[in-house]
């Protein structure tokens, strides 16, 4: 991983969503965004904010049971939750690699099991629960897409509150 990162502390769900909206404005498809964090840290909320800023207005829930959901907005959005998968072979069964080729914004909750199949150009967002309402959100990644996002976030650091 490249060393460059961008981190904020969010003090509320609204603040996290606002940050996600910001990220959504700074990316275009194709984009691959991995969301790491324990249950209840705000991964799905980040997906909601990113999707919202791409023009998708309905409520989003974690696709824990169906694993993959697609939303159609200004960009195509593919939302995965790999929590229930136990082995990377199961990714092949769901056609994981074909999804990666799509011209879409792909958001993956619980991406750990898929890391060996992921191309070297992605955004990696880690959420850490610091208290009931506080989350540390760290943006890092590999390749031009994350480099560009981190540069853009750093330039606009004052303007989302
Ligand atoms: N600062 C915060 N950022 C994100 N979520 C927060 C924050 N504070 C409290 N929450 C709560 O944590 C939960 C996050 O849920 P969700 O996004 O579904 O998490 P995950 O997908 O990581 O399991 C929500 O109930 C939300 O209201
Ligand atoms: Mg979730």
């Amino acid at each position: 991983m490249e060393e460059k990162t961008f981190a904020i502390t969010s003090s509320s769900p609204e603040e996290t969503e606002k940050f996600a909206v910001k990220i959504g404005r700074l990316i275009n498809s194709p984009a691959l965004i991995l969301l790491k964090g324990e249950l209840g840290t705000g991964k799905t909320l980040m997906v909601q904010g990113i999707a919202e800023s791409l023009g998708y207005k309905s409520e989003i829930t974690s696709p824990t049971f169906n694993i993959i959901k697609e939303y159609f907005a200004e960009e195509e959005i593919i939302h995965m939750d790999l929590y229930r998968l136990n082995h990377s072979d199961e990714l092949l069964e769901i056609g994981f690699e074909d999804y990666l080729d799509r011209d879409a914004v792909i958001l993956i909750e619980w991406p750990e099991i898929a890391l060996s199949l992921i191309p070297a150009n992605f955004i990696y967002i880690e959420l850490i629960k610091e208290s009931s309402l506080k989350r540390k959100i760290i943006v890092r990644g590999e390749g031009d897409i994350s480099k560009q996002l981190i540069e853009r976030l750093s330039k606009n650091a004052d303007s989302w509150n």
Side-chain angles (χ1 to χ4, degrees):
M1 292 225 181
E2 284 166 22
E3 275 178 45
K4 238 185 151 189
T5 65
F6 184 85
I8 65 155
T9 299
S10 159
S11 303
S12 66
E14 294 73 26
E15 218 177 291
T16 296
E17 197 165 354
K18 222 165 165 184
F19 181 56
V21 166
K22 180 89 186 176
I23 288 177
R25 290 202 191 110
L26 297 176
I27 55 157
N28 300 296
S29 59
L32 178 58
I33 304 179
L34 313 180
L35 292 150
K36 177 192 161 81
E38 295 303 315
L39 271 177
T41 46
K43 299 180 295 300
T44 303
L45 195 60
M46 290 288 299
V47 173
Q48 178 87 56
I50 290 168
E52 200 178 296
S53 72
L54 299 174
Y56 186 77
K57 301 299 177 202
S58 307
E59 197 195 332
I60 283 173
T61 54
S62 260
T64 308
F65 294 96
N66 11 354
I67 300 171
I68 299 173
K69 283 189 193 167
E70 293 179 60
Y71 315 117
F72 296 92
E74 286 153 29
E75 317 262 359
E76 188 185 354
I77 301 164
I78 298 170
H79 179 195
M80 303 190 199
D81 180 334
L82 306 182
Y83 183 70
R84 289 205 326 148
L85 300 188
N86 299 308
H87 198 278
S88 55
D89 285 354
E90 293 170 82
L91 290 166
L92 305 177
E93 286 162 29
I94 61 169
F96 181 78
E97 288 173 297
D98 298 330
Y99 282 101
L100 294 184
D101 293 335
R102 298 267 283 274
D103 185 19
V105 173
I106 305 175
L107 297 141
I108 308 181
E109 299 186 45
W110 298 99
E112 289 83 349
I113 202 166
L115 289 180
S116 65
L117 297 173
I118 279 169
N121 197 27
F122 59 84
I123 295 159
Y124 196 82
I125 300 175
E126 184 174 358
L127 294 111
I128 299 163
K129 186 170 174 174
E130 297 196 322
S131 71
S132 62
L133 285 175
K134 274 205 171 133
R135 305 288 186 270
K136 181 156 196 189
I137 307 176
I138 307 163
V139 180
R140 43 169 88 90
E142 240 178 66
D144 286 346
I145 192 169
S146 69
K147 197 171 157 230
Q148 205 175 62
L149 175 64
I150 290 163
E151 275 170 16
R152 289 175 176 173
L153 285 172
S154 307
K155 263 188 211 155
N156 295 287
D158 313 320
S159 59
W160 54 67
N161 288 318

